[in-house]
Amino acid sequence: MENGINAAAVPTENETMSRRGILSAGGAALSAAGALALAGAAAPAMAQAARGDAANDVNLLNAARALEFEGIAAYQIALDSGLLPPNAVGFATLYQSHHEQHNEELEKAIKRLGGEAVGPKTSAQYVQQLEADKLKTFEDILRLALRLERGAASAYLGLIEPLKNTDLHLLVARLAADEAAHAATFMIDLASPISAKTPLF
Amino acid sequence: MKFPRRRTLPLVLAHAAAAGVLAATSCDSSVASFAVQRTTETEQDAQQLDKPVLPNGDAMRGETLYAAKCGACHSIDQNRIGPKHRGVFGRNVGGVDDYEYSAALSDADLVWDDASLDEWLRAPTKMFPGTRMGFAVGDDQERADIIAYLQSVSD
């Protein structure tokens, strides 16, 4: 036994290589174990960071909700104004329903993130913040609608980068496309010049 | 939350750098020598302060850009999705009394000026994580123009 122990203690070159391999493998195993241990130690921090990212995403999506609520209110102001010709009433109603659907999608996304979706302000607040008293003609309404829809398209595109949850990127891109489609109809109505330079948003 | 303000290069230094370059290309040697030296110092300042320098802003272009890029959420005189902007220069971050800010901004200890607005518009979620504003203006000239416009409605 003693010799055997000694023999094991003084390896041949081949054995040395072999042991190096074993040590290397052991080292790898240790590294893996160490990595797991480190991962275990880092898990709370990672979870906390993930919660922070989710909370930040909720804040951004709630701002989008606020934007949609304002859009819904703007269409209601237009519908109540008596300034819309009959064919425009159908568009205003349709686009308003689009914004309501957007808010439903945003609310679902916020809830999936564990957040709470904000609700709308009062009608009086929207009348004030949109300066509805300045809307005197159908064209005034078209210009307001164009400004809000075009701005909303840009706003949604601007959310793609800061949203940490990549599952949300497609959602906000699709909402941006809806807003751009709305804006395009108002640009046509107003004969608004289309930029020769792209991207348009 | 106390915001750890990044050191920034005031726009006046950018103007000095631009003036230095112009002088170096058009004036006598002593002036040119001074201008080159001043420019070099300014560049060193910029490097030391770790902050890119904004180009000169055009408030008229900025007004158009403001409508297109900021107008979805902001107005000059009305709180909407975001706070009103008249008087933003020199105002504390989170300083509009009748607007309800996110905690990220209401707890900030900073004054809006050209440098802080530049950083904010460049990457709002990085400057104040937890903000509700995600929209950034990536183009240096566009940011400078918008900031010039915001200053024009604050004077």
Side-chain angles (χ1 to χ4, degrees):
Chain A
M1 288 292 290
E2 188 176 340
N3 284 344
I5 292 170
N6 286 341
V10 185
T12 64
E13 186 175 342
N14 284 343
E15 285 172 334
T16 303
M17 293 299 290
S18 175
R19 284 190 183 187
R20 280 179 185 156
I22 291 168
L23 285 172
S24 174
L30 186 61
S31 294
L36 284 172
L38 285 173
M46 291 171 67
Q48 188 175 11
R51 281 196 297 275
D53 286 347
N56 292 345
D57 284 356
V58 165
N59 285 341
L60 297 174
L61 294 179
N62 265 328
R65 287 258 302 172
L67 191 68
E68 295 286 357
F69 278 127
E70 190 189 64
I72 292 165
Y75 281 110
Q76 195 57 50
I77 289 168
L79 287 164
D80 294 342
S81 70
L83 296 170
L84 301 189
N87 63 328
V89 170
F91 275 106
T93 305
L94 177 65
Y95 289 0
Q96 185 183 48
S97 77
H98 289 170
H99 289 293
E100 288 166 347
Q101 292 172 60
H102 289 177
N103 253 349
E104 289 168 10
E105 292 300 317
L106 290 167
E107 183 175 11
K108 287 178 194 169
I110 289 167
K111 286 183 175 174
R112 280 198 299 273
L113 292 170
E116 186 175 347
V118 297
K121 299 178 182 178
T122 66
S123 298
Q125 285 175 301
Y126 289 120
V127 166
Q128 181 185 346
Q129 72 187 44
L130 290 169
E131 300 181 320
D133 58 315
K134 294 181 179 174
L135 300 172
K136 305 295 185 191
T137 66
F138 177 48
E139 184 174 331
D140 291 341
I141 289 175
L142 286 175
R143 292 197 181 283
L144 171 65
L146 174 57
R147 179 164 59 86
L148 294 180
E149 297 284 11
R150 186 157 51 188
S154 291
Y156 275 121
L157 292 172
L159 283 183
I160 293 174
E161 186 177 351
L163 282 170
K164 299 293 185 187
N165 186 324
T166 54
D167 292 344
L168 299 170
H169 292 179
L170 179 60
L171 170 64
V172 295
R174 294 173 79 173
L175 298 184
D178 285 357
E179 311 292 2
H182 292 176
T185 60
F186 296 124
M187 290 176 76
I188 293 167
D189 284 341
L190 286 163
S192 179
I194 298 172
S195 171
K197 185 181 174 189
T198 62
L200 299 179
F201 291 94
Chain B
M1 180 184 80
K2 296 291 183 186
F3 172 71
R5 184 174 176 184
R6 280 172 53 186
R7 292 181 304 167
T8 54
L9 180 67
L11 285 182
V12 65
L13 290 181
H15 298 158
V21 170
L22 287 173
T25 56
S26 62
C27 298
D28 66 68
S29 60
S30 61
V31 173
S33 173
F34 167 77
V36 169
Q37 184 182 355
R38 184 72 194 91
T39 302
T40 303
E41 288 172 357
T42 304
E43 287 169 350
Q44 288 170 350
D45 288 342
Q47 289 169 0
Q48 288 168 2
L49 294 171
D50 186 28
K51 180 72 177 179
V53 178
L54 268 186
N56 290 332
D58 181 313
M60 288 186 68
R61 277 201 309 258
E63 183 173 10
T64 303
L65 286 165
Y66 179 87
K69 293 184 178 289
C70 313
C73 296
H74 290 279
S75 294
I76 295 300
D77 291 310
Q78 297 291 337
N79 292 326
R80 292 176 49 220
I81 319 305
K84 56 193 166 192
H85 277 148
R86 190 175 298 284
V88 65
F89 259 74
R91 190 161 68 207
N92 288 332
V93 172
V96 174
D97 291 337
D98 55 349
Y99 179 79
E100 189 176 340
Y101 289 91
S102 64
L105 267 72
S106 59
D107 295 344
D109 181 20
L110 186 69
V111 172
W112 290 125
D113 58 17
D114 48 14
S116 54
L117 282 168
D118 177 40
E119 185 169 1
W120 170 246
L121 291 173
R122 183 190 301 271
T125 54
K126 290 180 181 165
M127 186 176 184
F128 289 115
T131 177
R132 294 193 290 263
M133 177 165 145
F135 188 83
V137 182
D139 184 90
D140 288 353
Q141 185 62 61
E142 289 187 350
R143 259 194 336 278
D145 293 342
I146 290 170
I147 290 169
Y149 173 62
L150 290 174
Q151 185 159 24
S152 77
V153 298
S154 298
D155 294 337

